[in-house]
Amino acid sequence: MKTTSLTARALLAFAPFAIACLTSAQAFAQSTDPVLERIKSKGVITIGYRETSIPFSFLNDEKKPVGYAIDLCMKVVQDVRQRLKAPTLKVDFVAVNPQNRIPLVSNGTVDIECGSTVNTLGRQQQVDFSAPHFISTTRLLVRKGSRVREVEDLIGKAVALPINTTPERLVKGLIEAKKLNVRIVPVRDNAEGFLALSTGRVDAFSTDDILLFGLRKSAPNPSEYEVVGRALSFDPYGLMIQKNSTVFLSLVNATIAREVRDGQLKASYDRWFSPLQVPMSNDLAAAFKLAALAE
């Protein structure tokens, strides 16, 4: 019964992308669109990346953007080069954060955002999303030994929430609905949230659980932290592109489909997530099957 429920949720998450692929397949075969034209005229594809969204998109020791989402976007770059017959097409990386990532995609500064952005109906009014490449949920990061296990345990305490994110709206809503006396500390990004927790400014940091696992893994003392709490949400991640760029969206989804069919996306998952000891969920396995559309 549990597996059926998970698969159903993944199906609902993927449904908009299946429809998009069907409706834009003919356009993909026949024409181009403003994003591809912009990339072609500039001779550059601009990738938006996150600096601390481990393991999706972050800076390594050499200050180079790397990660699971970056790997996937570099596959998209290969397909764009082939589509445009531009083998020397350059790649520019632009750092984005939760506050500016949607505007930068929407106004064309960034051609594709490769991070850890949750697809929501509200965001679909401003940008388009690819098929899901990950499924996450909102939980809490706390110090080991803390009595905090759920949001309800934060009464009289403080929680850090990243500004302009799905977890911020979700946890704020839960606190307000239950009339909990919890102090909310807004933070700009994951690094600031973890700093607030590690320095004792807050008792918990809440965001997508996979990002919390990444923060714990990269901490100087990982054993001092733990990810706790029930799953508060069902959050499909997608690559963001400018709205109504149907041909480019079809190309991106075709890349994802091939990566799944060839086993490359699973290999990338194993590379980036095995060190975090996070096995692939039933939700994500179902989403992968749904994304593997035939050519």
Side-chain angles (χ1 to χ4, degrees), residues 101-114:
R101 57 187 171 179
I102 291 178
L104 290 178
V105 171
S106 181
N107 68 22
T109 300
V110 166
D111 295 314
I112 183 167
E113 189 258 358
C114 309

Side-chain angles (χ1 to χ4, degrees), residues 137-140 148-151 226-232:
T137 187
T138 300
R139 296 176 68 192
L140 303 171
V148 174
R149 286 294 177 270
E150 302 286 354
V151 172
E226 57 183 338
V227 179
V228 300
R230 66 190 182 278
L232 296 174

Side-chain angles (χ1 to χ4, degrees), residues 6 14 33 64 124 136 146 157 184 186 193 259 277-278 281 283 289:
L6 292 170
F14 183 76
D33 68 12
K64 176 183 177 182
Q124 286 180 23
S136 185
S146 167
K157 302 181 185 298
I184 294 173
E259 289 297 294
Q277 298 180 333
V278 179
S281 67
D283 283 8
K289 290 180 180 179

